[in-house]
Amino acid sequence: MQEISRRNFIKIGAAGALALAASSASATQNAKDVKFDEEYDVVVIGSGFAGSMATLQALKRGKKVLMIEKMGRAGGNSVINAGNMAVPNNEFQKAAGITDSKEAFIADCLKDGLNLNHIDLLGVIYDRAGDAFEYLKSIGVEFSGKVISASGHSLKRAVQAKNASGSGYIQPMHKAIEENANAVIKKRTKFDDFVVDDSGRVVGVKCREEYKFDPQLASDDRENKSGEVKFFKAKDGVILAAGGYSSDKWFRAQQVPYLKDNIETVSQPGATAGTLIAAMKLGANPLQLSWIQLNPYTNPSEKGFGTSALFSNHCANDYGLTVDPKTGKRFMNEHAGRKIKTEAIFKCMAESENNDNYPVNICDQAAVDANNPVYTSKGVEAGSIKKFNTLEELAKFYKIPLEPFLKTIADFNGYVKAGSDPEFGKPLTKADVSGIDVSKAPFYACQTSPKILYCMGGVQINTKAQVIDAASGEPIAGLYAAGEITGGVHGASRLGTMSMADCMVFGMVAAENI
Amino acid sequence: MQEISRRNFIKIGAAGALALAASSASATQNAKDVKFDEEYDVVVIGSGFAGSMATLQALKRGKKVLMIEKMGRAGGNSVINAGNMAVPNNEFQKAAGITDSKEAFIADCLKDGLNLNHIDLLGVIYDRAGDAFEYLKSIGVEFSGKVISASGHSLKRAVQAKNASGSGYIQPMHKAIEENANAVIKKRTKFDDFVVDDSGRVVGVKCREEYKFDPQLASDDRENKSGEVKFFKAKDGVILAAGGYSSDKWFRAQQVPYLKDNIETVSQPGATAGTLIAAMKLGANPLQLSWIQLNPYTNPSEKGFGTSALFSNHCANDYGLTVDPKTGKRFMNEHAGRKIKTEAIFKCMAESENNDNYPVNICDQAAVDANNPVYTSKGVEAGSIKKFNTLEELAKFYKIPLEPFLKTIADFNGYVKAGSDPEFGKPLTKADVSGIDVSKAPFYACQTSPKILYCMGGVQINTKAQVIDAASGEPIAGLYAAGEITGGVHGASRLGTMSMADCMVFGMVAAENI
């Protein structure tokens, strides 16, 4: 082998031999062996909230930016997001007379996060979410004007897009990027690896253009060889904003073996671990990869996120109640964090042999009216949310024993009146939780079963969004990350509306520091 | 920079430049750039249970083996281990009339492991622990002849060293290694990185001899530059058996931020993440790194594992009961797994403002007599275990309210008699759990507070102990791992006596497959 290597060395010359040496140890490319096809100041991997915000903020600083997206559609999971963003101290929160605090914000996150959160990163989100919000308004993102509640938060602190969807952010963000002469967006362009210089600094990326993602493959990252290799220089550095690995069936199941192939996810099929794995091989410290969140609002009869999840979350869980159809009784604090609710729902489902004793989320017309009407109308049209003229009809439809069910409703209404839930500690002090007005039809209901929603784990970053090397504990020069590809922010469980805050803030911070 | 590189290239020649190129992309060395100082068939990193078993089994196959240990003392944490090893279907278990099963074994592990365990690996332990046990007997390991219970196991299945310590295994194992002409043990020799060939196969290691571990450094792995660099060839491959990262204050706190620097560990100070980090950089898939186990048996007044932990575990938790000194009441199933008990104890401790409402583990003389006498005698001598002539004296000493305490004892005795614990579900069907014989002094008691014990996370291996590459999902050629440096076996929480079973079985399996 050594003989052949020496002969090759003479034949292909020094640069070629250096390339061989580098590629044998790791797929990472050395800049000396690379002829860049295009040159930019900043390369951003991913086109969702984090990637788009990073791109915009880098453009604002006069940088020439390339944003790549492996899928044919830009926006990642962000365009199918519900469009709610935690922004402590936002104008709508103030108008509603709510006083927020850093202590309350961090305490809320730590509670569901089981104290695994990196508090310094939560502090950055608290301090900077307002800046991100102001910027988003300045480029034309339209907000509903309401401050809304979300599971796990002790007070209302989220703003919401007027169209109740992440697309309400992504569309104006991408429009602003497209209008900027310093920006290039390349779709169907897959990141394969980093290019580093002799000091180990990240100075570019190896990609494939004309890449065609194939959802039929067991692992697109491993098997898909489509596209043409290109090298893009990133003079100032690379920002990772490639999202999570909810759709990476192999990778997620090694971390959490019970997440079998047939468990559904609300993420788009491109949410795979490839970029994260390349970063780990470069030395990035992987944090808390085995914490994968399930969404307790999804419906077993629907594909993906479906049309009923916002109803279950905001109308039923916030304003109404959830019952076990076998007993007719409540079994959880409907306002608890996702992890607690997911575990309670899985336990309820397991009461039937086929694991299909799906809990029923219930609310009245007042709860529907208090929320964005599309939360309910879409699901009613699709048939996943059912509308009933009487509670008796509702009980009959879901095979809930009537008497205990009616007693549960009466008890719950009593708790709402008293302002306290002695059974499960649901916070009922807010005027909004109205209980179920039994005198006013119609009533709404929807089954629920958890689906994979979000990966809390990812690469470690510091408060400047620099990726941290596991061996040295220091930043990897030229490498930044933001959003779901990072770990540590949310600990064991991300609260609702915190993903967008995380993406927007650290996308912005990465671009400010690159 | 490029200019300088070219000049350097000319000056230092081709081989040197290749070395430079490789080290810029990654610290991993290419074999072409390395002159090996010594050649072996197998290099084993670590000298505890896993490393020693791997060495012995490789020697058995006629291999020339180098076992390296960075500390001045061989044996790692294994020599301070309690010496109990789960061996399903062992001769002592059979003699006691206990029938084990793979289903029960796996179910026990999954329960405390929160279903995060890799079941195929548990299957290998069940199938092969008996082979490891027979081999250990053949080289002179002496067993007590008893089958013993351990927290989280639904039946007794562990063997124990006659001297109630891991040294009862390590001493005969190292003696057998030292007597073998094909074996070399190098202490004070630190693994720094891998040497790979052009195909990426691991063919050797870069180490430092005459290395002096410095416990005063904030991070020995990062700061300690002592020793002389050596390259050792490993013709057949390298076996990682370097243990966990309980003593790596930086690394553990990134995964679990509440494990602050001042939280104690029962591990030796050399239990750092360096080898794991090098493996991740080579591409090894890191599993479940944020699951770090605390030992619920340790004593707040003692350093490290101390002298009372075996008493608390086996005498008090198995045979007796644990009370909250504030209430005099029990608050947990004393036979639950470590994770459940740790959380319950932390909750109890937090009842006082200073976090020092330490639970009290209690048992009678019969419980002490049923166990290895050194479990109790050492702690009584050291003063961490207290001996009382009356329960009144005991209550007074720990400031436990007497009346509720005596009622708790009476209730517990009633449960033992009835064979069922309606309060916390502690299994009481075994004849051994005798309750507290209030008529027979003395009584024994000991405070308890958790310390860091074990890292469940580590590199992924398959059933042949081959390390799995995150990108390909395939084994990394030439790289094997066993014991605490691997992840996935124990999921969220390792059961007692399972560490040794894991180390011995996968040390053996690695050597069989290399």
Side-chain angles (χ1 to χ4, degrees), chain B residues 438-464:
Chain B
V438 295
S439 67
K440 268 195 204 149
F443 308 100
Y444 297 83
C446 182
Q447 286 181 323
T448 190
S449 76
K451 296 180 186 174
I452 300 171
L453 173 65
Y454 189 86
C455 301
M456 269 68 68
V459 296
Q460 183 180 357
I461 55 169
N462 63 13
T463 55
K464 291 178 174 176

Side-chain angles (χ1 to χ4, degrees), chain B residues 326-343:
Chain B
K326 210 161 197 170
T327 63
K329 293 181 182 171
R330 290 172 66 222
F331 59 92
M332 65 179 186
N333 164 9
E334 295 90 346
H335 198 73
R338 288 169 176 171
K339 184 172 175 290
I340 296 164
K341 289 202 286 201
T342 292
E343 282 170 11

Side-chain angles (χ1 to χ4, degrees), chain A residues 271-417:
Chain A
T272 64
T275 305
L276 168 65
I277 290 170
M280 292 196 294
K281 194 153 180 172
L282 191 74
N285 194 23
L287 294 189
Q288 306 171 347
L289 298 183
S290 56
W291 286 102
I292 298 176
Q293 181 173 69
L294 288 98
N295 181 325
Y297 311 117
T298 40
N299 181 286
S301 70
E302 295 184 323
K303 284 276 166 203
F305 192 71
T307 57
S308 64
L310 294 174
F311 162 85
S312 285
N313 184 352
H314 296 289
C315 304
N317 274 195
D318 281 357
Y319 291 78
L321 74 171
T322 302
V323 302
D324 174 347
K326 210 162 197 172
T327 64
K329 293 182 182 168
R330 289 171 68 222
F331 59 92
M332 64 178 185
N333 164 10
E334 295 90 344
H335 198 71
R338 288 169 177 169
K339 185 173 174 288
I340 296 164
K341 289 201 287 199
T342 292
E343 282 170 13
I345 294 169
F346 272 147
K347 207 171 158 189
C348 177
M349 282 165 56
E351 282 167 25
S352 91
E353 231 175 89
N354 299 324
N355 204 41
D356 60 357
N357 184 47
Y358 301 117
V360 183
N361 295 321
I362 298 160
C363 70
D364 63 8
Q365 185 68 44
V368 169
D369 293 343
N371 281 281
N372 196 315
V374 300
Y375 287 2
T376 305
S377 60
K378 283 184 188 172
V380 169
E381 271 168 46
S384 53
I385 301 170
K386 306 288 180 193
K387 207 169 160 178
F388 300 95
N389 288 318
T390 65
L391 289 169
E392 286 72 13
E393 275 178 30
L394 190 158
K396 195 177 168 192
F397 182 83
Y398 292 108
K399 302 194 175 72
I400 307 172
L402 184 63
E403 256 181 74
F405 174 61
L406 293 178
K407 183 176 181 316
T408 297
I409 300 276
D411 286 350
F412 182 71
N413 285 337
Y415 303 157
V416 170
K417 209 172 167 186

Side-chain angles (χ1 to χ4, degrees), chain B residues 44-263:
Chain B
V44 176
I45 300 165
S47 66
F49 294 136
S52 302
M53 189 57 142
T55 299
L56 284 164
Q57 296 289 328
L59 290 170
K60 207 173 142 194
R61 290 180 59 207
K63 306 284 184 189
K64 196 176 165 198
V65 187
L66 168 65
M67 179 169 78
I68 65 169
E69 166 59 54
K70 76 174 174 190
M71 307 301 278
R73 167 182 73 64
N77 285 324
S78 299
V79 288
I80 50 173
N81 170 290
N84 301 325
M85 173 178 170
V87 181
N89 307 306
N90 71 72
E91 62 195 89
F92 314 129
Q93 189 186 38
K94 284 180 187 158
I98 300 164
T99 307
D100 212 334
S101 78
K102 200 167 193 167
E103 291 66 34
F105 176 79
I106 290 175
D108 287 349
C109 294
L110 287 175
K111 191 177 176 190
D112 221 43
L114 301 182
N115 287 305
L116 293 178
N117 316 60
H118 282 228
I119 292 171
D120 55 344
L121 301 179
L122 289 175
V124 173
I125 294 178
Y126 182 87
D127 293 339
R128 302 297 309 280
D131 294 341
F133 173 57
E134 291 302 325
Y135 176 78
L136 291 166
K137 283 198 297 181
S138 80
I139 60 163
V141 175
E142 289 184 297
F143 293 93
S144 71
K146 283 188 183 178
V147 59
I148 67 160
S149 66
S151 285
H153 292 277
S154 58
L155 43 81
K156 291 183 176 187
R157 55 165 68 100
V159 298
Q160 72 174 171
K162 204 169 181 179
N163 76 342
S165 163
S167 63
Y169 300 77
I170 287 292
Q171 281 162 7
M173 292 175 93
H174 283 195
K175 186 164 170 283
I177 294 170
E178 283 158 12
E179 285 169 1
N180 192 307
N182 277 330
V184 176
I185 302 180
K186 287 181 191 276
K187 286 186 281 193
R188 295 200 195 283
T189 300
K190 183 170 200 296
F191 164 81
D192 275 338
D193 219 323
F194 299 99
V195 179
V196 299
D197 69 12
D198 278 351
S199 72
R201 181 185 178 88
V202 174
V203 295
V205 291
K206 179 188 175 191
C207 296
R208 277 177 285 157
E209 287 189 342
E210 304 299 330
Y211 175 84
K212 288 204 175 56
F213 182 86
D214 184 352
Q216 303 306 317
L217 297 173
S219 170
D220 181 84
D221 278 342
R222 289 176 189 162
E223 298 167 44
N224 191 331
K225 306 295 179 199
S226 68
E228 190 190 348
V229 172
K230 298 271 172 163
F231 290 92
F232 302 123
K233 186 167 184 172
K235 205 164 64 69
D236 295 347
V238 171
I239 300 175
L240 307 178
Y245 42 89
S246 290
S247 300
D248 197 315
K249 290 178 179 178
W250 184 85
F251 191 80
R252 76 188 194 198
Q254 306 317 308
Q255 299 296 338
V256 182
Y258 60 79
L259 296 180
K260 305 286 185 202
D261 283 7
N262 64 349
I263 292 193

Side-chain angles (χ1 to χ4, degrees), chain A residues 99-156:
Chain A
T99 307
D100 212 333
S101 78
K102 201 167 194 169
E103 291 65 36
F105 176 78
I106 290 175
D108 287 349
C109 294
L110 287 176
K111 191 177 176 190
D112 222 43
L114 301 181
N115 289 306
L116 293 178
N117 316 61
H118 283 227
I119 292 172
D120 55 343
L121 301 179
L122 289 174
V124 173
I125 294 178
Y126 182 87
D127 293 339
R128 301 297 311 280
D131 294 341
F133 173 58
E134 291 303 325
Y135 177 78
L136 290 166
K137 283 197 299 181
S138 79
I139 61 164
V141 175
E142 291 185 296
F143 292 94
S144 71
K146 283 189 184 178
V147 59
I148 66 160
S149 66
S151 287
H153 292 278
S154 58
L155 43 80
K156 291 183 176 186

Side-chain angles (χ1 to χ4, degrees), chain A residues 1-2 5 9 14 17-18 20-26 28-32 114-118 196-200 222 250-251 253-258 277 280-291 460 468-474, chain B residues 1-2 5 9 14 17-18 20-26 28-33 114-118 196-200 222 250-251 253-258 277 280-291 460 468-473:
Chain A
M1 282 300 284
Q2 223 172 345
S5 298
F9 179 78
L18 285 161
L20 261 183
S23 70
S24 66
S26 151
T28 305
Q29 308 276 324
N30 189 297
K32 286 184 302 199
L114 301 181
N115 289 306
L116 293 178
N117 316 61
H118 283 227
V196 299
D197 69 12
D198 276 352
S199 72
R222 289 175 188 163
W250 184 85
F251 192 79
Q254 306 317 308
Q255 299 295 339
V256 183
Y258 60 79
I277 290 170
M280 292 196 294
K281 194 153 180 172
L282 191 74
N285 194 23
L287 294 189
Q288 306 171 347
L289 298 183
S290 56
W291 286 102
Q460 184 179 357
I468 300 301
D469 180 81
S472 70
E474 300 295 327
Chain B
M1 284 302 284
Q2 221 172 344
S5 299
F9 178 76
L18 285 161
L20 262 184
S23 71
S24 67
S26 151
T28 305
Q29 308 277 325
N30 189 296
K32 283 184 305 199
D33 316 319
L114 301 182
N115 287 305
L116 293 178
N117 316 60
H118 282 228
V196 299
D197 69 12
D198 278 351
S199 72
R222 289 176 189 162
W250 184 85
F251 191 80
Q254 306 317 308
Q255 299 296 338
V256 182
Y258 60 79
I277 290 170
M280 291 196 295
K281 195 152 179 172
L282 191 74
N285 194 24
L287 293 189
Q288 305 172 347
L289 297 182
S290 56
W291 287 102
Q460 183 180 357
I468 300 301
D469 181 81
S472 70

